[in-house]
Amino acid sequence: MKYKTAKFQGVEGARALGAFTVVIWHLNTYLDAYFENFSFRYIFRGEWANIFFFALSGFLAVYTMKGKELPGIKEFCEKRIKKVYPLWLMTTIFFLCLSMAEFWIRNELSISNISVLLYKIIVDMLLIQSWIPGYPYLFHLNGPGWYLSVLFLLWILTIPLLKYIKKLSPKQRRFFLICIFLAQFTRDFICMNSDLIAKYATGVWWLYPIVAYVSGMILATFFGEKTQPTTSGKGVLQYIILICGIPVGYFVTFKVTVLENVFMTIYMLYVIWILTCENTSLHKVLSNNIFGFVGSISFEIYMLHIPVARFIEFFGVIKNNLIAFNVIVCLTIFSAVIWKKLMGRYESKRIAV
């Protein structure tokens, strides 16, 4: 996304860090082979990046409509679907072809296997993968589909939710925010003590995507009451909170896991607030051109890294894990840039017409 001012350049840099975290989280097995009793998942917390992306999506969805008449649900969703669906459709068709090829090579091209595959394809193309309780939302066919299907549901709910939130007073919004955090905590507590409920509380029912997104929306409504969020940029407290939040997050993740989603959502909201203040050091660092470039293709990286990994694994010609990891990362970035260029030209032509 291109912004009219430098205000959100730091946000693009943060997207880059989030995309990098997700890639390491998903491809950790390539690197863990070189370390005994250690996983890079201990360091690169993919869930935190997802919380950030959902919170940021909710924030930007509302903030970019500041001072404008609210669009209808169809118009709001249509613009976003047109932007993300072509890449999603391409990668899903790719997985369909790859799965069919694997069945054929293994001599497993049976009616039952094809039926299951077609069912998964339909669910994926309709973007309802994560809506189904207990559905194996991650890596069942096209991994990133769980994220996109949750986002699709949230887009449908954005306009009705925003109309409701705008009717609330600032105190009522804060109370609403506390209520959804309590709902998340209750969900996590129950799932930790009930395997049966935890089995079905996946995808949308994991709740944290909705909580993060709605929290971002509420944060943006507070910003909408001001011309611009401000901070001194030199306050010691904000940097103490930013720096200390990470080790506290690790402690909560491994020791008090029932609080992880709530704590990291609150932390990511604080990060977004800092990022939207141009005079903070964090904004200035993440506004670097390299961060900005990677951030501009972060969605494409998110969508392409798993298909690229499956493509490399399918041929199995790279035996060294470290080389395979680097090839996947480089090929993913290259593919993301190419796709961005192609879609940029397509959108330019469409606008011109």
Side-chain angles (χ1 to χ4, degrees):
M1 180 182 292
K2 292 183 179 180
Y3 302 104
K4 294 181 180 180
T5 67
K7 182 178 181 58
F8 288 107
Q9 287 179 357
V11 169
E12 290 287 21
R15 288 183 197 270
L17 293 179
F20 178 74
T21 299
V22 170
V23 168
I24 298 295
W25 172 262
H26 287 161
L27 304 180
N28 69 295
T29 52
Y30 290 95
L31 300 174
D32 292 351
Y34 297 93
F35 300 91
E36 187 175 352
N37 299 322
F38 173 80
S39 174
F40 271 81
R41 285 196 169 197
Y42 296 147
I43 300 176
F44 297 94
R45 306 299 302 171
E47 305 100 318
W48 298 359
N50 283 331
I51 288 174
F52 171 75
F53 284 131
F54 282 121
L56 182 63
S57 295
F59 176 85
L60 291 177
V62 172
Y63 192 86
T64 52
M65 290 189 289
K66 185 177 68 171
K68 301 177 182 178
E69 184 179 350
L70 292 183
I73 298 175
K74 181 181 178 182
E75 180 185 354
F76 180 84
C77 295
E78 188 176 19
K79 289 181 178 178
R80 285 153 179 81
I81 289 292
K82 284 181 178 178
K83 181 178 179 181
V84 305
Y85 200 78
L87 181 56
W88 169 245
L89 181 63
M90 186 196 74
T91 55
T92 302
I93 292 173
F94 167 80
F95 271 105
L96 172 63
C97 296
L98 194 62
S99 298
M100 292 292 287
E102 288 175 338
F103 284 147
W104 183 74
I105 291 172
R106 298 171 185 171
N107 199 25
E108 298 175 354
L109 205 60
S110 63
I111 297 297
S112 60
N113 284 339
I114 293 176
S115 299
V116 172
L117 184 60
L118 290 177
Y119 166 72
K120 291 180 177 181
I121 284 293
I122 292 172
V123 169
D124 271 7
M125 287 189 170
L126 292 176
L127 287 177
I128 59 172
Q129 179 195 133
S130 64
W131 302 11
I132 306 171
Y135 200 66
Y137 65 96
L138 200 56
F139 299 125
H140 75 110
L141 183 64
N142 192 353
W146 88 270
Y147 170 82
L148 203 57
S149 57
V150 172
L151 206 54
F152 178 48
L153 175 63
L154 292 171
W155 290 339
I156 295 173
L157 299 176
T158 296
I159 300 302
L161 275 172
L162 183 55
K163 289 180 180 178
Y164 170 75
I165 292 170
K166 282 192 169 185
K167 292 179 181 178
L168 303 177
S169 67
K171 286 185 179 180
Q172 289 174 326
R173 290 179 210 170
R174 293 187 184 97
F175 179 72
F176 183 40
L177 198 59
I178 292 172
C179 287
I180 62 176
F181 285 148
L182 287 175
Q184 179 69 67
F185 172 80
T186 302
R187 178 266 175 209
D188 292 341
F189 178 80
I190 292 174
C191 286
M192 285 186 65
N193 294 278
S194 173
D195 293 337
L196 179 63
I197 294 178
K199 177 182 178 182
Y200 292 98
T202 59
V204 169
W205 312 101
W206 204 343
L207 202 58
Y208 87 76
I210 299 176
V211 171
Y213 188 90
V214 175
S215 299
M217 290 178 63
I218 295 174
L219 180 65
T221 61
F222 284 116
F223 280 15
E225 295 167 357
K226 304 176 183 179
T227 56
Q228 178 170 324
T230 59
T231 181
S232 66
K234 298 179 180 179
V236 175
L237 181 60
Q238 70 180 32
Y239 298 111
I240 292 176
I241 294 174
L242 281 172
I243 294 171
C244 293
I246 297 298
V248 172
Y250 281 114
F251 175 81
V252 169
T253 298
F254 297 116
K255 299 296 183 180
V256 197
T257 53
V258 70
L259 289 173
E260 179 181 10
N261 290 319
V262 172
F263 176 83
M264 291 314 301
T265 301
I266 295 172
Y267 180 77
M268 292 306 171
L269 291 177
Y270 184 77
V271 170
I272 292 170
W273 175 69
I274 295 296
L275 286 172
T276 52
C277 301
E278 293 183 57
N279 55 338
T280 60
S281 299
L282 182 64
H283 174 92
K284 293 175 182 177
V285 170
L286 293 179
S287 295
N288 180 279
N289 289 336
I290 296 177
F291 281 119
F293 168 72
V294 178
S296 68
I297 57 172
S298 58
F299 175 76
E300 286 75 15
I301 289 174
Y302 190 96
M303 294 299 297
L304 288 168
H305 71 283
I306 295 177
V308 169
R310 284 286 305 274
F311 178 76
I312 297 298
E313 291 172 358
F314 177 78
F315 287 97
V317 295
I318 303 177
K319 303 301 180 182
N320 184 286
N321 283 342
L322 186 59
I323 294 176
F325 173 81
N326 284 286
V327 169
I328 291 169
V329 171
C330 292
L331 190 56
T332 297
I333 294 175
F334 176 76
S335 302
V337 171
I338 295 299
W339 181 264
K340 193 80 171 182
K341 292 289 185 182
L342 290 174
M343 289 307 296
R345 291 180 180 178
Y346 167 73
E347 291 176 0
S348 298
K349 290 180 180 179
R350 187 176 61 186
I351 292 171
V353 171

